[in-house]
C-alpha cells in the first residue's frame, strides 16, 4: 500500500470510529441512539477540523459526545500520521522507513531525518498553546458558569481554536463574547498560531532564544517562515480593514456596536475565515460583499504544516509571484531573492486547479439537490467545507441528505488534500525519462 493511501485510509478509519462513538446513546443528551447522518457529518467535520454542524453541539450531545468531538478534532488537527507516530513513541517502539516517509509526506517536510524529534516538538507545542488557552479562557468562563462547566468550556474551546476546528458549545457560537477582549484575543491567537505551521513557530522560538541569550549567530529565517508570516499578516490587516469598511453601516452586524467593539469584531472576522469557524456576528446577516471576501479568505486558508486547511498561503504567494514574473518579463519566479523550483510551481498550479474543480463540482451538485437555496449560500457552504473552515450562513442543518453527503466528501477531500488524494487513487507519480520537443501555444 502506498503512503498516500495509508494516510487517506487512516483518516477514513478515524472518521468511522468517531461515527460509531457519536451514534452511541451515551453520546447524546437525550440518551437515545444518534442519527447516522448526524453522527457521520459531525465525526467528519471534527476529524477534518471543519466545525460545520447539522445540530447544536452544546445541547444535542452529552458530555461524552462533546468529549469525543474534542478528541476527534485533536486527532484531526495533529494529523493521522502524527498521532499514530506519537503513540508508537509512547510505547517505546521504533518506526520503519515507510512510517518515516509517511511522516515526511504528511508534514510536507523536505527530509526524513529527525522525525521523532519533530513529532515530540509538535506535541509539546500543541500542549503548551492549548493549556495556556485554557487558563486564559478560565478567567472569562468560570465567573459566569462556575468551575466545573467553566473548565470544560475553556478546554473544549481551546482545543477547537488551536486545531482550527470551530465547534462551540454556545448556541450563538461566540457572539455573546464579541466585546470581550480576553476571549477574542485568546481565540484569535490560538487560531493564528495553530494555522501558521509548527515549523514557523519553531523558528520563531529559536530566534527569540538566540536574542535572549545574545548569541552572535542568530537564527536565520527560512523562506517558508518569511512567506507564511508575511502573507498571514497582510491578509489579516487587509481583512480587518475590508470588513470594517463594508459592515460598519450594517446595523445587523457592526452598525449597532461602538467603535471599540467594531474593531474587535472586524479583527475576529478577519482571523476566523483562516479555517477556524468561530464567529462573533451572525454570518447570515452580513452583506454579499463581506460574504464574498470571507469566501476568498476561506479559500486561501492557513499555512502548510498547521492545523488549518484551504489552498494555503504559500500556494497563493507562488502563484502571485508567477504572475509578477510574467508581467515583468522574467523567466524565473523569485521570492525574497530565492528562485522557486519548477516542481513547486507545478504543484501550486495543481493545487489551484484541483481545488477549483472540487468547488465547482460540489457547488453544482448541491445546486441540483437543493435548488431553492441561494447560490451565494451554497458557494459559501462548499468553500467552508473544502477549506475546513466551519463558517455557515445557517443552512447546514436544513440541506437535504444528499447535500450533507456531498459536504462530507468535500470536507474529507479538503482535509487530506487534492494532490494526496489523487496520489492515493492513481498511485505515486513516477518521473519519466522521455522528453518531447517544445512548441509555442497562444495563452491569455
Amino acid at each position: 500500500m502506498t503512503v498516500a493511501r495509508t494516510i487517506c485510509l487512516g483518516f477514513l478509519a478515524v472518521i468511522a470510529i468517531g461515527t460509531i462513538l457519536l451514534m452511541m446513546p451515551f453520546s447524546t443528551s437525550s440518551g437515545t441512539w444518534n442519527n447516522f447522518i448526524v453522527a457521520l457529518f459531525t465525526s467528519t467535520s471534527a476529524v477534518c477540523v471543519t466545525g460545520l454542524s447539522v445540530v447544536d453541539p452544546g445541547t444535542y450531545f452529552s458530555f461524552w459526545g462533546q468529549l469525543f468531538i474534542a478528541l476527534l478534532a485533536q486527532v484531526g488537527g495533529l494529523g493521522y500520521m502524527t498521532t499514530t507516530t506519537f503513540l508508537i513513541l509512547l510505547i517505546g517502539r521504533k518506526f520503519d522507513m515507510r512510517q518515516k516517509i509517511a511522516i515526511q509526506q504528511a508534514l510536507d517536510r523536505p527530509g526524513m531525518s529527525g522525525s521523532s524529534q519533530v513529532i515530540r516538538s509538535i506535541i509539546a507545542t500543541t500542549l503548551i498553546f492549548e493549556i495556556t488557552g485554557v487558563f486564559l479562557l478560565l478567567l472569562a468562563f468560570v465567573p459566569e458558569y462556575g468551575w466545573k462547566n467553566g473548565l470544560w468550556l475553556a478546554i473544549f474551546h481551546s482545543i477547537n481554536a488551536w486545531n482550527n476546528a470551530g465547534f462551540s458549545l454556545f448556541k450563538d457560537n461566540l457572539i455573546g463574547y464579541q466585546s470581550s477582549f480576553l476571549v477574542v484575543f485568546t481565540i484569535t491567537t490560538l487560531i493564528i498560531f495553530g494555522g501558521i505551521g509548527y515549523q514557523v513557530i519553531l523558528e520563531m522560538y529559536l530566534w527569540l532564544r538566540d536574542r535572549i541569550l545574545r548569541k552572535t549567530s542568530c537564527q536565520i529565517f527560512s523562506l517558508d517562515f518569511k512567506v507564511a508570516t508575511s502573507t498571514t499578516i497582510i491578509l489579516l490587516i487587509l481583512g480587518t480593514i475590508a470588513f470594517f469598511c463594508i459592515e460598519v453601516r450594517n446595523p445587523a452586524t457592526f452598525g449597532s456596536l461602538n467603535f471599540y467593539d467594531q474593531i474587535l469584531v472586524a479583527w475576529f472576522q478577519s482571523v476566523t475565515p483562516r479555517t477556524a469557524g468561530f464567529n462573533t456576528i451572525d454570518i447570515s446577516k452580513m452583506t454579499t460583499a463581506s460574504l464574498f471576501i470571507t469566501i476568498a479568505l476561506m479559500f486561501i486558508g492557513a499555512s502548510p504544516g498547521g492545523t488549518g486547511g484551504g489552498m494555503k498561503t504559500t500556494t497563493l504567494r507562488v502563484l502571485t509571484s508567477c504572475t509578477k514574473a510574467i508581467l515583468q518579463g522574467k523567466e524565473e519566479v523569485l521570492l525574497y531573492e530565492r528562485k522557486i523550483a519548477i516542481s513547486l510551481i507545478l504543484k501550486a498550479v495543481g493545487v489551484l486547479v484541483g481545488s477549483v474543480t472540487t468547488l465547482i463540482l460540489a457547488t453544482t451538485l448541491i445546486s441540483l439537490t437543493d435548488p431553492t437555496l441561494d447560490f451565494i449560500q451554497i458557494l459559501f457552504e462548499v468553500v467552508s467545507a473544502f477549506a475546513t473552515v466551519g463558517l455557515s450562513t445557517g443552512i447546514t442543518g436544513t440541506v437535504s441528505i444528499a447535500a450533507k453527503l456531498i459536504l462530507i466528501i468535500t470536507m474529507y477531500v479538503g482535509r487530506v488534500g487534492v494532490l494526496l488524494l489523487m496520489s492515493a487513487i492513481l498511485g505515486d507519480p513516477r518521473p519519466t525519462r522521455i522528453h518531447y520537443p517544445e512548441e509555442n501555444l497562444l495563452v491569455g
Side-chain angles (χ1 to χ4, degrees):
M1 184 181 293
T2 64
V3 172
R5 286 175 186 168
T6 301
I7 296 173
C8 291
L9 290 176
F11 273 105
L12 286 177
V14 177
I15 290 172
I17 294 171
T19 302
I20 294 172
L21 291 174
L22 292 176
M23 283 186 65
M24 297 297 172
F26 53 77
S27 293
T28 62
S29 56
S30 62
T32 58
W33 286 89
N34 195 0
N35 179 277
F36 173 72
I37 295 297
V38 173
L40 176 62
F41 193 100
T42 307
S43 177
T44 305
S45 184
V47 174
C48 298
V49 290
T50 305
L52 286 175
S53 182
V54 293
V55 295
D56 177 21
T59 57
Y60 186 88
F61 291 102
S62 64
F63 166 77
W64 291 108
Q66 295 168 11
L67 178 62
F68 293 145
I69 292 174
L71 292 175
L72 291 171
Q74 187 74 81
V75 173
L78 288 173
Y80 164 74
M81 285 309 306
T82 303
T83 306
T84 304
T85 306
F86 178 66
L87 294 176
I88 291 173
L89 291 173
L90 275 182
I91 61 177
R93 286 180 54 192
K94 294 183 178 181
F95 41 90
D96 55 22
M97 182 62 69
R98 175 178 288 274
Q99 289 169 321
K100 290 182 179 181
I101 295 173
I103 295 168
Q104 176 196 5
Q105 194 163 351
L107 299 179
D108 200 17
R109 297 185 71 231
M112 292 182 290
S113 60
S115 297
S116 60
Q117 289 82 357
V118 171
I119 296 299
R120 290 190 180 95
S121 65
I122 289 175
I123 300 297
T125 302
T126 298
L127 291 176
I128 290 171
F129 273 91
E130 288 182 351
I131 292 172
T132 304
V134 168
F135 280 115
L136 291 175
L137 291 176
L138 281 174
L139 301 175
F141 295 150
V142 169
E144 187 174 353
Y145 297 97
W147 271 103
K148 182 180 178 181
N149 292 332
L151 177 60
W152 174 236
L153 288 170
I155 293 172
F156 187 89
H157 287 85
S158 180
I159 290 174
N160 275 271
W162 169 258
N163 291 291
N164 281 216
F167 282 101
S168 177
L169 298 181
F170 302 113
K171 283 188 175 182
D172 61 352
N173 207 282
L174 295 178
I175 294 178
Y177 293 93
Q178 63 182 191
S179 302
S180 172
F181 175 81
L182 177 62
V183 173
V184 170
F185 170 78
T186 303
I187 295 294
T188 54
T189 301
L190 289 171
I191 291 170
I192 292 170
F193 280 95
I196 205 168
Y198 299 105
Q199 183 63 34
V200 172
I201 296 174
L202 178 61
E203 289 190 37
M204 197 178 299
Y205 162 75
L206 293 175
W207 181 82
L208 287 173
R209 185 198 63 182
D210 292 345
R211 285 284 183 175
I212 294 172
L213 297 178
R214 296 181 179 180
K215 290 188 175 181
T216 54
S217 57
C218 288
Q219 167 74 17
I220 299 176
F221 292 126
S222 66
L223 184 60
D224 279 320
F225 180 93
K226 295 175 183 178
V227 172
T229 53
S230 61
T231 308
T232 298
I233 292 171
I234 292 170
L235 290 174
L236 290 176
I237 294 174
L238 292 179
T240 303
I241 295 172
F243 285 122
F244 179 83
C245 294
I246 294 173
E247 294 292 325
V248 70
R249 295 183 181 179
N250 185 356
T253 54
F254 287 25
S256 59
L257 305 175
N258 58 48
F259 180 75
Y260 171 78
D261 290 346
Q262 288 175 343
I263 295 297
L264 276 183
V265 172
W267 164 252
F268 194 94
Q269 192 54 40
S270 178
V271 173
T272 194
R274 310 302 304 288
T275 84
F278 291 107
N279 59 283
T280 54
I281 57 173
D282 189 344
I283 302 297
S284 64
K285 295 180 180 178
M286 292 174 67
T287 61
T288 303
S290 291
L291 288 176
F292 198 74
I293 290 174
T294 304
I295 289 172
L297 291 174
M298 289 193 299
F299 183 66
I300 295 169
S303 300
T307 58
M311 185 180 67
K312 307 296 185 185
T313 53
T314 48
T315 304
L316 173 68
R317 287 296 294 273
V318 169
L319 293 173
T320 53
S321 296
C322 285
T323 306
K324 180 181 177 182
I326 293 171
L327 294 176
Q328 293 179 341
K330 295 181 179 179
E331 295 182 357
E332 294 181 342
V333 178
L334 302 176
L335 264 174
Y336 294 100
E337 299 180 347
R338 293 293 185 272
K339 179 182 176 181
I340 305 300
I342 295 297
S343 58
L344 290 179
I345 297 173
L346 293 176
K347 184 177 180 180
V349 173
V351 169
L352 176 63
V353 173
S355 301
V356 172
T357 302
T358 303
L359 294 178
I360 292 174
L361 183 60
T363 303
T364 302
L365 291 175
I366 295 180
S367 298
L368 293 173
T369 60
D370 295 63
T372 58
L373 295 176
D374 292 336
F375 173 76
I376 190 70
Q377 289 181 311
I378 298 174
L379 180 62
F380 192 97
E381 200 81 7
V382 169
V383 175
S384 180
F386 176 77
T388 69
V389 180
L391 292 176
S392 175
T393 56
I395 67 171
T396 313
T398 62
V399 297
S400 63
I401 294 178
K404 289 185 178 73
L405 292 174
I406 294 169
L407 290 174
I408 287 172
I409 296 172
T410 305
M411 286 189 287
Y412 175 73
V413 173
R415 181 63 186 94
V416 300
V418 177
L419 298 184
L420 187 67
L421 183 61
M422 293 305 296
S423 295
I425 296 172
L426 303 176
D428 291 333
R430 296 180 180 179
T432 178
R433 295 182 179 180
I434 302 174
H435 298 279
Y436 296 94
E438 286 187 6
E439 187 171 343
N440 287 330
L441 177 69
L442 295 177
V443 177

